[in-house]
Amino acid sequence: MTGRPVDTGDPDRLYTVTGGRSRVDDNSFDLVTLIVSECEPTPGMQSEHVRILSVCRHPTAVVEISAELNLPVTVVRILLGDLLATGRITARHPRAAGSASSLPDSALLKEVLHGLRNL
């Protein structure tokens, strides 16, 4: 089985899509950040922005948006930054575990695993 290249986009097209930007202004979006559209697309919007708003009617992870649009994650993050700045999307960041004490008990996890194996 041969793997396909990660960046399948034409460099000139990607340059145009991002307006020549190659980096996100901040680190607002990681791969599992959930994106939700806050409005419908409007006439005259960039086609990639329209597709993102359509895909994100329900919470969708950044990595899923990248796969759906067939664009590199870096490009998607730049486009999401545009939409976030105009208030067209909201980003829901995953909650990090506060401490080891907030994690489930390992004995409980073992019981769940045992139960799943018995199914």
Side-chain angles (χ1 to χ4, degrees):
M1 177 177 186
T2 61
R4 62 177 214 189
V6 174
D7 185 358
T8 59
D10 176 27
D12 293 336
R13 177 178 170 270
L14 298 178
Y15 182 85
T16 303
V17 165
T18 62
R21 295 170 290 163
S22 61
R23 296 175 195 237
V24 182
D25 293 335
D26 58 17
N27 292 326
S28 298
F29 311 104
D30 58 18
L31 294 178
V32 295
T33 299
L34 295 177
I35 307 299
V36 180
S37 57
E38 294 296 329
C39 65
E40 293 295 320
T42 57
M45 285 182 72
Q46 184 176 339
S47 62
E48 289 79 11
H49 287 150
V50 170
R51 290 180 61 203
I52 289 171
L53 291 177
S54 298
V55 167
C56 295
R57 288 191 176 116
H58 301 285
T60 308
V62 171
V63 71
E64 293 177 69
I65 299 167
S66 175
E68 185 70 30
L69 272 61
N70 198 24
L71 289 172
V73 173
T74 306
V75 172
V76 170
R77 290 176 65 207
I78 292 169
L79 296 172
L80 290 172
D82 297 342
L83 293 170
L84 184 64
T86 59
R88 296 179 189 268
I89 62 167
T90 54
R92 298 178 184 172
H93 303 283
R95 285 186 274 171
S99 66
S101 64
S102 66
L103 296 174
D105 181 39
S106 62
L108 174 65
L109 292 175
K110 288 177 185 178
E111 287 181 41
V112 170
L113 181 59
H114 180 69
L116 289 172
R117 287 182 179 155
N118 288 337
L119 289 178

